[in-house]
């Protein structure tokens, strides 16, 4: 019996290599994609552009762009591979950029292939851009080292220290599939000299519906993600005509939606510091004035964002997702009620440090 067991184990071990063959990729034998861009084209097709990173034997990094017109992302890969001297590989993709006019028609069919590809990081950024992505990816910017690194570093910086809510491919697709919630993407543009984050693109399902600038992105992030130690907002003091800049914001949030009361509620507690003030030295009276102005500004800003959501029947916050868990409602029924609900916003601001003055 022991002999039979021994022979069986040896046989299994001998056969393991036949079932565990792994495909290996040697980096200097590949063309690594760092960014993918999609533009609108005629006849329900799109133009795809990729930036490639190729490593030579001397370990020098070379960048190039390839473009092709296609009706699907799978066909696009075939066409791009036909133009390349080495197999194209998506394992280094850090961003996927979609032209605004194409995004208005829907992005799911474009993104689905990349979302299902295990070689592509789910933390890759998704962006909407004004103007041609082919032009953007073909241009050399003064601050650019490599375009993929340039885009990802810029977006990471704005998420951590400024007003951009956290978003990536995984979070976009999760919001797309979740009932009662809609996805978002960073909104970008470019000039001859630089790329620029303009704000946030708001989606209804997978279609680009409208966008907000970076100041309004502050209020959206405030009630969507909150702040741990970032964010920046400029507060205008109406009576004095002075300006105060608040940074290093920490916030706590309480969101509620009450169908019976026909009410959306947002209660936000904020601790922050004054980093700049145009009115000279700051005393206790001025701190109180800045606190009151900040409370009024943020209250109106949050109300404005929720009103915009109601106007377009989009919900990046997830009011509906919370409500559908508790109520026997369809998604359509929720959005129909959502657009007419009253809004109650309360913001409490505490300034813990007066910073510097100018």
């Amino acid at each position: 019996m022991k002999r039979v067991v021994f022979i069986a184990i040896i046989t299994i071990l001998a056969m393991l290599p036949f079932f565990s063959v792994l495909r290996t990729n040697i980096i200097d034998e590949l063309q690594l994609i760092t960014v993918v861009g999609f533009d609108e084209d005629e006849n329900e097709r799109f133009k795809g552009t990729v930036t490639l990173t190729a490593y030579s034997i001397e370990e020098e990094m070379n960048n190039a762009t390839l473009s092709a017109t296609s009706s699907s992302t799978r066909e696009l890969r075939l066409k791009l591979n036909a133009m390349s001297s080495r197999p194209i590989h998506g394992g280094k993709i850090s961003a996927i950029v979609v032209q605004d006019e194409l995004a208005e028609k829907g992005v799911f069919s474009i993104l689905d292939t990349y979302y299902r590809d295990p070689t592509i990081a789910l933390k890759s950024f998704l962006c909407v851009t004004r103007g041609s992505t082919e032009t953007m990816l073909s241009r050399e910017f003064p601050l650019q080292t490599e375009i993929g690194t340039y885009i990802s570093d810029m977006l990471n910086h704005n998420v951590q220290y400024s007003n951009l809510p956290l978003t990536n491919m995984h979070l976009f697709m999760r919001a797309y599939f979740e009932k009662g919630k809609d996805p978002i993407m960073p909104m970008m543009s470019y000039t001859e000299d630089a790329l620029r984050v303009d704000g946030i693109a708001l989606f209804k399902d997978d279609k680009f519906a409208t966008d907000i600038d970076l100041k309004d992105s502050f209020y959206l992030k405030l009630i969507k993600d909150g702040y741990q130690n970032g964010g920046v907002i400029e507060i205008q003091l109406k009576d004095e005509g002075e300006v105060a800049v608040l940074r290093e914001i920490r916030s706590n949030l309480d969101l509620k939606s009450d169908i019976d009361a026909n009410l959306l509620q947002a209660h936000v507690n904020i601790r922050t510091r004054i980093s700049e003030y145009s009115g000279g030295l700051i005393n206790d009276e001025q701190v109180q004035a800045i606190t009151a102005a900040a409370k009024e500004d943020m209250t109106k800003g949050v109300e404005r964002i929720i009103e915009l959501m109601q106007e377009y029947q989009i919900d990046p916050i997830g009011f509906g997702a919370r409500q559908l868990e508790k109520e026997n409602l369809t998604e359509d029924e929720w959005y129909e009620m959502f657009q007419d609900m009253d809004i109650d916003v309360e913001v409490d601001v505490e300034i813990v440090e007066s910073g510097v003055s100018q």
Side-chain angles (χ1 to χ4, degrees):
M1 182 65 182
K2 292 182 178 180
R3 180 180 175 85
V4 172
V5 172
F6 177 76
I7 294 173
I9 293 173
I10 294 298
T11 302
I12 293 172
L13 292 174
M15 295 180 66
L16 277 177
F18 296 99
F19 297 98
S20 60
V21 175
L22 297 177
R23 181 179 177 181
T24 58
N25 292 307
I26 301 173
I27 193 168
D28 57 2
E29 294 179 357
L30 301 173
Q31 299 280 21
L32 298 175
I33 302 174
T34 57
V35 184
V36 185
F38 294 97
D39 293 307
E40 185 180 34
D41 194 73
E42 298 177 356
N43 302 320
E44 298 184 354
R45 295 163 69 85
F46 58 81
K47 176 179 282 188
T49 301
V50 297
T51 61
L52 304 172
T53 301
Y55 292 90
S56 66
I57 297 175
E58 295 79 14
E59 297 185 356
E60 293 180 351
M61 185 177 68
N62 302 306
N63 297 316
T65 60
L66 295 177
S67 296
T69 301
S70 177
S71 57
S72 71
T73 53
R74 295 184 184 277
E75 183 186 16
L76 176 66
R77 289 189 180 190
L78 290 174
K79 289 187 175 182
L80 293 174
N81 266 302
M83 301 164 64
S84 173
S85 61
R86 299 174 182 176
I88 289 178
H89 194 276
K92 203 183 175 187
I93 291 176
S94 58
I96 299 174
V97 187
V98 185
Q99 180 194 25
D100 52 357
E101 294 179 0
L102 179 60
E104 291 173 357
K105 299 181 178 180
V107 298
F108 179 78
S109 61
I110 294 174
L111 300 178
D112 186 48
T113 300
Y114 292 95
Y115 186 62
R116 296 174 185 273
D117 189 338
T119 67
I120 298 175
L122 294 179
K123 291 185 178 181
S124 299
F125 283 106
L126 305 178
C127 315
V128 176
T129 185
R130 307 182 200 276
S132 166
T133 66
E134 182 182 19
T135 301
M136 183 184 83
L137 297 181
S138 301
R139 184 169 291 174
E140 290 287 338
F141 299 102
L143 296 177
Q144 174 183 331
T145 51
E146 184 274 315
I147 186 68
T149 304
Y150 183 26
I151 292 175
S152 61
D153 286 352
M154 180 175 60
L155 294 175
N156 268 317
H157 158 72
N158 278 274
V159 168
Q160 293 182 25
Y161 302 109
S162 191
N163 299 343
L164 202 63
L166 178 61
T167 177
N168 53 43
M169 180 156 60
H170 172 68
L171 294 176
F172 182 95
M173 298 300 281
R174 178 179 176 181
Y176 170 76
F177 285 113
E178 186 174 3
K179 291 184 177 180
K181 191 172 184 179
D182 295 296
I184 61 174
M185 287 188 194
M187 190 78 191
M188 296 177 59
S189 64
Y190 59 91
T191 64
E192 293 289 338
D193 300 322
L195 293 174
R196 180 177 64 204
V197 177
D198 287 342
I200 290 293
L202 305 177
F203 282 74
K204 178 64 176 177
D205 296 325
D206 71 328
K207 295 181 174 62
F208 171 41
T210 187
D211 64 283
I212 56 177
D213 62 21
L214 272 178
K215 181 168 184 178
D216 279 345
S217 295
F218 171 88
Y219 309 118
L220 177 62
K221 183 173 182 176
L222 187 63
I223 55 175
K224 182 180 183 297
D225 301 333
Y227 289 89
Q228 295 304 313
N229 196 26
V232 56
I233 187 169
E234 188 176 280
I235 302 297
Q236 181 79 42
L237 279 69
K238 295 179 181 179
D239 295 336
E240 293 85 354
E242 305 295 348
V243 175
V245 178
L246 305 183
R247 294 181 186 271
E248 297 182 16
I249 296 166
R250 292 180 178 270
S251 65
N252 292 313
L253 174 67
D254 183 21
L255 289 179
K256 294 180 181 178
S257 55
D258 189 335
I259 291 180
D260 295 332
N262 193 44
L263 186 64
L264 299 170
Q265 292 179 300
H267 185 192
V268 187
N269 290 306
I270 292 174
R271 289 169 57 88
T272 184
R273 74 177 184 88
I274 303 169
S275 67
E276 299 175 35
Y277 178 59
S278 63
L281 297 177
I282 302 176
N283 55 35
D284 291 342
E285 184 179 348
Q286 288 166 321
V287 170
Q288 292 177 4
I290 294 170
T291 302
K295 179 177 180 178
E296 181 182 0
D297 181 285
M298 294 181 192
T299 300
K300 290 181 178 179
V302 172
E303 289 174 347
R304 184 166 64 251
I305 289 298
I306 297 176
E307 288 169 356
L308 181 70
M309 291 163 49
Q310 290 177 314
E311 178 184 353
Y312 285 89
Q313 293 193 50
I314 54 179
D315 187 3
I317 308 302
F319 282 112
R322 296 180 179 89
Q323 201 65 53
L324 292 176
E325 290 179 355
K326 300 183 293 183
E327 304 287 344
N328 186 23
L329 293 172
T330 67
E331 195 173 18
D332 290 338
E333 288 172 338
W334 158 252
Y335 279 112
E336 186 176 349
M337 290 185 290
F338 173 70
Q339 64 182 340
D340 296 320
M341 295 180 78
D342 297 325
I343 302 170
D344 178 24
V345 176
E346 183 179 349
V347 178
D348 294 324
V349 178
E350 180 184 2
I351 295 177
V352 296
E353 185 181 338
S354 58
V356 299
S357 59
Q358 289 185 348

